[in-house]
Amino acid sequence: MSFDQLEKAKQMTIILILNLFVTLPGGCFTGICTGYKKFVFPRLLSVFKYVFRALLVVLIMYLGSDSIGLVILDTVLNFSFIMITMYYVLFKLKVTIKLHFLNMKFVKSIFKYSSVIFLFAMIFQLQWRASQVLLGINYETTLVGIYSVGVLLATYYISIGKIINNLILPKAVQSVYSNFTSFELTKQLVKIGRVSLLILLFFFGGFYILGEEFIQLWAGENYKDAWLVATLIMGINLIPLSQGYASAILEAQKKLNFKAIVLLSFCVLGLTLGYFLSKVYGISGMVYGLASSMFIGNFIIILYYHFNIKLDMIYFLKKAINPFLLPFLIIMFLQLQVKAVR
C-alpha cells in the first residue's frame, strides 16, 4: 500500500473500533428479542437497515465520498438501529433490567460462554481478514480487491445460513432442557436441515449458474476470478450451515469448546497453507488452502456430533442431504458443459 492508503486505513480502523464499541454491547438487545422468540421485528429491522444502507451508499458515493465515508455511515446506522431495538425491548417487551445482587457463579458462566463466542468471532475474522492481509504481502491491492469481492459475496451467503440458525437456537435450548432423546433431536435436525439445505442450495445454485456473469456486470471483467473464491467458500460451508441445529444443540449443552478449538486450529493451518500456495497460484492458492483445511475441520466436527452428543449424522446425511444431492450434481454438471461450449 502507498503512504496515503495506509493513512486512510488507520483512520478507518479508528472509526471501526468506535463502531465495535457501540455494536458489541448493543447486540444484547437483539439477543433479548431472540430469547423472547420475537424474531420478526429485529429481522425486519435488519432488512430495512441493509436496504436503507444500500440507498445511502449510492447517495454518498454519488456526492463524492470515499471508503472513510462508508465506515462513518455504517457507524451512524449501527448506533441508530441499536437505539431503535433498545426502545422495542424496554418499552414494547417491557423488559426490566435489575441488579438485585451480584451472582459471581452466574457472571463466571457468562464470561466462559462469552469467551467461546469471542473465539468464534476471532476465527471468522482470521479466515477472511487475515487471508486478505497475507495476500497483500505478496501482491498488489488489485488482486486483494478481487479476493475481497469473492469473500464479501460468500459472507453474505454465510449470513443467510446464520440467520436460519439464530432462529432455531431457542428451540434447541428448549429441547435440550426438556430432556429430548438423541433420536428425537436427530429427527428435529433432519426436519430443520432439509429446510435449511433447500434455501441454501437455492442461493448457491443460482450463484453457481449466474454468479460469474453477475460479478462481471457488477464489478467488471477484471473481477471475474472472484467467482471461484465465492463459489468454493459457499460450497465448503453448505453442509455445516445446514447442520445449524446440531450446532445449536452443542451450544445449548455448553459444549462449544471443542468446536472452537478445532476451527481455530484448522483456520491457522489453512492460512499457513494458503499463504505458501498463494505465492505460486495467487488467489486460487489462498482459497484452496483455506477450503481444504475447513473441509477437514468440519468433517471432524461432524464426527463429534455423532459420537459425543449422540446425533445420528449418518441418518441425517441419508434423510436430509441425499434427496437433494443427485439433482444438484446434475445441475452442476450441465453448467460445466455449458461453460465448456462457450
Side-chain angles (χ1 to χ4, degrees):
M1 292 184 179
S2 66
F3 178 78
D4 291 338
Q5 288 174 328
L6 287 172
E7 281 297 315
K8 185 172 290 187
K10 289 178 182 179
Q11 295 175 21
M12 291 169 62
T13 302
I14 293 172
I15 298 171
L16 288 171
I17 290 172
L18 294 175
N19 191 353
L20 286 173
F21 183 76
V22 174
T23 54
L24 283 178
C28 69
F29 296 105
T30 303
I32 291 172
C33 292
T34 302
Y36 277 79
K37 297 185 179 181
K38 300 295 182 180
F39 304 116
V40 176
F41 175 78
R43 304 308 169 198
L44 285 177
L45 193 64
S46 180
V47 170
F48 176 76
K49 172 186 172 182
Y50 287 115
V51 172
F52 187 55
R53 178 189 182 276
L55 296 174
L56 288 179
V57 166
V58 173
L59 177 62
I60 66 172
M61 294 299 286
Y62 179 77
L63 295 175
S65 184
D66 57 5
S67 54
I68 294 179
L70 290 178
V71 294
I72 292 174
L73 172 65
D74 284 336
T75 303
V76 172
L77 283 177
N78 285 339
F79 179 78
S80 302
F81 282 89
I82 285 171
M83 295 302 294
I84 294 172
T85 309
M86 184 174 69
Y87 174 82
Y88 179 80
V89 168
L90 297 179
F91 295 98
K92 296 297 181 180
L93 297 182
K94 306 294 183 181
V95 174
T96 304
I97 301 172
K98 292 182 180 179
L99 295 176
H100 296 282
F101 60 92
L102 186 61
N103 187 336
M104 291 307 299
K105 184 179 179 181
F106 186 60
V107 171
K108 184 179 178 180
S109 66
I110 291 175
F111 181 77
K112 183 178 179 181
Y113 175 76
S114 300
S115 299
V116 178
I117 299 301
F118 171 76
L119 187 57
F120 276 108
M122 188 176 70
I123 292 168
F124 185 81
Q125 294 298 322
L126 276 174
Q127 280 180 331
W128 311 127
R129 307 303 180 195
S131 57
Q132 295 179 40
V133 174
L134 292 175
L135 269 178
I137 293 173
N138 297 319
Y139 298 97
E140 60 182 8
T141 55
T142 302
L143 197 68
V144 178
I146 295 171
Y147 178 81
S148 64
V149 167
V151 169
L152 177 67
L153 293 171
T155 52
Y156 286 152
Y157 174 78
I158 294 171
S159 297
I160 295 170
K162 286 186 175 181
I163 288 172
I164 300 171
N165 296 341
N166 288 338
L167 294 176
I168 61 178
L169 178 59
K171 175 67 176 176
V173 173
Q174 185 181 33
S175 300
V176 169
Y177 283 90
S178 297
N179 296 317
F180 278 33
T181 65
S182 297
F183 181 70
E184 289 174 323
L185 292 175
T186 301
K187 287 178 67 177
Q188 287 187 347
L189 171 62
V190 171
K191 184 178 179 180
I192 296 171
R194 282 175 176 170
V195 177
S196 299
L197 196 61
L198 182 62
I199 296 171
L200 292 167
L201 281 173
F202 176 78
F203 284 99
F204 181 60
F207 184 80
Y208 182 80
I209 295 171
L210 301 172
E212 194 168 3
E213 288 79 3
F214 166 75
I215 290 173
Q216 291 181 40
L217 289 171
W218 172 50
E221 180 72 22
N222 295 332
Y223 286 82
K224 63 181 181 180
D225 289 341
W227 178 83
L228 175 64
V229 177
T231 302
L232 281 173
I233 297 173
M234 290 178 184
I236 289 297
N237 282 281
L238 181 62
I239 301 302
L241 288 173
S242 68
Q243 296 168 353
Y245 188 69
S247 181
I249 293 171
L250 203 66
E251 191 168 349
Q253 293 182 349
K254 300 178 182 178
K255 295 181 178 179
L256 283 173
N257 291 10
F258 178 81
K259 183 177 180 180
I261 292 170
V262 169
L263 291 180
L264 179 61
S265 301
F266 280 93
C267 173
V268 173
L269 176 64
L271 287 170
T272 305
L273 182 61
Y275 173 72
F276 288 107
L277 289 176
S278 67
K279 289 185 175 182
V280 181
Y281 301 105
I283 291 177
S284 301
M286 178 58 72
V287 72
Y288 283 138
L290 280 172
S292 59
S293 66
M294 288 169 61
F295 177 81
I296 299 171
N298 288 326
F299 180 74
I300 292 173
I301 290 169
I302 290 174
L303 294 178
Y304 185 74
Y305 291 152
H306 187 81
F307 292 106
N308 190 276
I309 61 177
K310 307 303 180 183
L311 293 174
D312 192 342
M313 300 308 295
I314 298 175
Y315 180 80
F316 170 79
L317 293 174
K318 288 180 179 178
K319 297 296 183 179
I321 296 179
N322 272 355
F324 299 105
L325 187 60
L326 182 60
F328 191 74
L329 288 176
I330 292 173
I331 291 173
M332 294 182 71
F333 175 76
L334 291 175
Q335 176 63 9
L336 288 173
Q337 298 306 307
V338 171
K339 287 189 175 184
V341 171
R342 290 178 182 176

